[in-house]
Amino acid sequence: MHRSAPRLSRILACAAVPVMLVAAGCSSDSGGDKDASPSATASPSVSAKPTVKPAVFSKLPEPCKSIKEKTVDSLVPEAKDRSGTADKSNDVSTRGGCSWNGLDSQGVDGSQYRWLSVSFMRYDSDQSRGAGDKLAEEYYAKQVAAAKATDGAKKVADEPSAGIGDQATTVSYDLRKTDADFKYATVVTRTENVVATVIYNGAGYQGAKSPKGADLLKDAQKAAKEAVASVTAANK
């Protein structure tokens, strides 16, 4: 009887092995079914990037026709070329400009010199860079900063100008050059995705007095309004 006890223990242990294996197998299969659910095996979806809004303006006006002839005649008397001198551009749909200049002789009262220019910059919307109007805002700020930082400028003043496009800033200053005291008026304006910059300056020669800065600024604002209107007209 004493010898049979160890043998009986081994028999009971071996008999228990299949039961444990079966139990373990059932437990593993049950857990596998739960992990095989679609929500657990599906790869996470990648959300698409939001698309930028399209630019409002797709064209630019002809720069030399963006300012009315009668305005050019008024601002630049005796202009060398009333039709203007166009800036060179590799892509006239995104960049362009024009300028006029003339010396009006007033006999014994001397001469008055005037120079007027208008330039345009248009931005398309771009998925990587952003919306066209936002890119135009950045360029607008750079143009204002550049005008204020003109080398040799004195009595620099700037202020917002309402009623010209979506944004507008006027910058005025005095500048001594070619032995004359020049008055400058710059109007930088943004309408949607286009920036228009108007620069108007003048000086008196041969004893003539320099023009009044306030008058130049008023005339520059008039030209800027016409430039903005020409952008809208070009895209109808």
Side-chain angles (χ1 to χ4, degrees):
M1 294 297 293
H2 293 288
R3 293 180 181 178
S4 63
R7 183 180 181 187
L8 179 59
S9 297
R10 287 196 299 273
I11 291 173
L12 291 175
C14 290
V17 171
V19 177
M20 293 172 64
L21 292 176
V22 172
C26 291
S27 175
S28 176
D29 290 343
S30 175
D33 290 340
K34 292 179 180 179
D35 293 340
S37 63
S39 61
T41 58
S43 60
S45 60
V46 179
S47 59
K49 293 183 179 180
T51 57
V52 296
K53 66 178 182 179
V56 173
F57 298 125
S58 59
K59 301 177 182 178
L60 285 180
E62 293 185 44
C64 291
K65 294 182 179 180
S66 65
I67 308 297
K68 297 177 182 179
E69 285 188 3
K70 63 178 182 179
T71 301
V72 172
D73 290 341
S74 174
L75 271 58
V76 189
E78 301 299 325
K80 291 180 180 179
D81 186 351
R82 294 175 66 237
S83 61
T85 302
D87 296 347
K88 293 181 179 180
S89 174
N90 295 327
D91 185 357
V92 294
S93 69
T94 59
R95 180 195 295 265
C98 189
S99 62
W100 301 261
N101 70 87
L103 184 65
D104 181 18
S105 176
Q106 299 177 348
V108 295
D109 292 328
S111 301
Q112 288 289 334
Y113 175 81
R114 296 291 184 274
W115 188 83
L116 172 69
S117 74
V118 59
S119 62
F120 297 94
M121 179 70 79
R122 186 185 66 82
Y123 289 88
D124 284 318
S125 293
D126 183 90
Q127 186 65 36
S128 60
R129 298 178 63 198
D133 59 346
K134 297 301 181 184
L135 296 173
E137 280 186 16
E138 296 175 3
Y139 181 72
Y140 165 85
K142 291 179 180 179
Q143 286 290 89
V144 173
K148 293 167 61 177
T150 298
D151 188 30
K154 297 179 179 179
K155 299 181 181 179
V156 180
D158 67 286
E159 62 180 3
S161 186
I164 309 177
D166 297 319
Q167 288 179 283
T169 297
T170 60
V171 181
S172 59
Y173 55 85
D174 296 347
L175 185 65
R176 177 75 179 180
K177 64 178 184 178
T178 61
D179 296 325
D181 294 318
F182 276 74
K183 296 285 186 178
Y184 272 77
T186 298
V187 182
V188 183
T189 181
R190 179 188 67 83
T191 176
E192 296 291 352
N193 56 306
V194 174
V195 174
T197 304
V198 169
I199 302 174
Y200 186 42
N201 64 69
Y205 284 94
Q206 299 172 329
K209 294 181 179 180
S210 298
K212 294 181 179 180
D215 293 339
L216 283 180
L217 186 56
K218 183 178 179 180
D219 288 338
Q221 289 172 328
K222 178 181 179 181
K225 289 179 180 178
E226 292 183 8
V228 169
S230 72
V231 174
T232 302
N235 286 271
K236 287 185 177 179

